[in-house]
Amino acid sequence: MRKQPPQGTEEYRLYKRDLEFKYANTEHGFLKRLFQSIYSRIKGNKGRNKGWVPEVTKKELEDIYNEQIKIYGKICLYCKTPFTFKRNKRQKDLEKEKIKQIKTNISMDRYDPNQTYKRGNIAFCCWECNGKKSDSYLTNWVNFLKGRKRIIK
């Protein structure tokens, strides 16, 4: 590890950003940010998640995650793809840059989109499946998976 530059310098800011990036690309760092994201979304969000106040604590989320991986492993519940925990590195201009998501990264799905994040309604899946499922209902998602299985064969 390189020597820490003096605080308050541009070099120090870049050094701290690099450390944060390395931590965010560990499983622990990635999950910590993922769990935090459902709480930060409720603050002033006018989008589709407005009003979904989580009924679980961060510790309970961690417990649910650990239970799921103990039973199924670190794979998407829907498509069985192994999870990744990677963040794309941002360039200098954070305001204008659009970060592309990595499709195999772990994501947290509300199984029933009409309910909040609570035990029994949280599924850890890949980002791609969560995006495809979006606000669809259980019956639609089951049909989607059945159709997908038929197409792939």
Side-chain angles (χ1 to χ4, degrees):
M1 181 150 55
R2 67 182 189 186
K3 187 178 172 188
Q4 180 177 323
Q7 288 190 7
T9 63
E10 176 68 10
E11 213 179 317
Y12 178 76
R13 189 183 69 75
L14 294 173
Y15 169 80
K16 291 298 275 187
R17 188 199 291 173
D18 190 49
L19 286 179
E20 170 60 26
F21 178 74
K22 287 177 184 171
Y23 175 67
N25 277 285
T26 65
E27 180 178 356
H28 185 267
F30 196 95
L31 290 172
K32 187 174 179 180
R33 282 189 165 189
L34 177 65
F35 297 161
Q36 176 59 36
S37 71
I38 69 168
Y39 297 95
S40 59
R41 276 188 234 149
I42 61 172
K43 296 176 185 172
N45 189 342
K46 294 180 175 101
R48 67 182 182 92
N49 291 318
K50 184 176 170 112
W52 294 123
V53 177
E55 293 179 9
V56 291
T57 64
K58 292 175 193 170
K59 173 68 175 116
E60 289 171 315
L61 284 174
E62 188 177 334
D63 292 343
I64 294 167
Y65 170 75
N66 288 328
E67 289 170 27
Q68 181 177 314
I69 64 167
K70 185 177 181 182
I71 296 168
Y72 303 107
K74 294 179 185 179
I75 60 170
C76 174
L77 276 187
Y78 303 132
C79 72
K80 311 292 188 248
T81 299
F83 290 139
T84 56
F85 306 91
K86 303 275 185 219
R87 299 255 181 218
N88 285 322
K89 197 158 193 166
R90 289 180 176 256
Q91 301 305 315
K92 215 169 187 159
D93 191 352
L94 302 180
E95 296 294 319
K96 296 177 184 175
E97 185 179 0
K98 181 158 173 67
I99 298 291
K100 288 187 178 180
Q101 292 291 337
I102 297 170
K103 294 177 181 184
T104 56
N105 274 348
I106 188 170
S107 184
M108 197 169 20
D109 179 39
R110 285 179 295 125
Y111 197 64
D112 180 348
N114 290 316
Q115 297 181 33
T116 189
Y117 292 96
K118 64 181 182 178
R119 186 171 275 282
N121 196 43
I122 296 169
F124 291 96
C125 58
C126 68
W127 188 85
E128 183 175 32
C129 283
N130 198 356
K132 285 180 181 176
K133 182 177 172 282
S134 190
D135 286 332
S136 62
Y137 296 97
L138 175 60
T139 53
N140 296 343
W141 189 235
V142 170
N143 289 335
F144 167 75
L145 282 178
K146 285 179 185 175
R148 180 177 177 198
K149 284 182 181 179
R150 285 187 215 118
I151 293 169
I152 292 173
K153 284 183 181 179

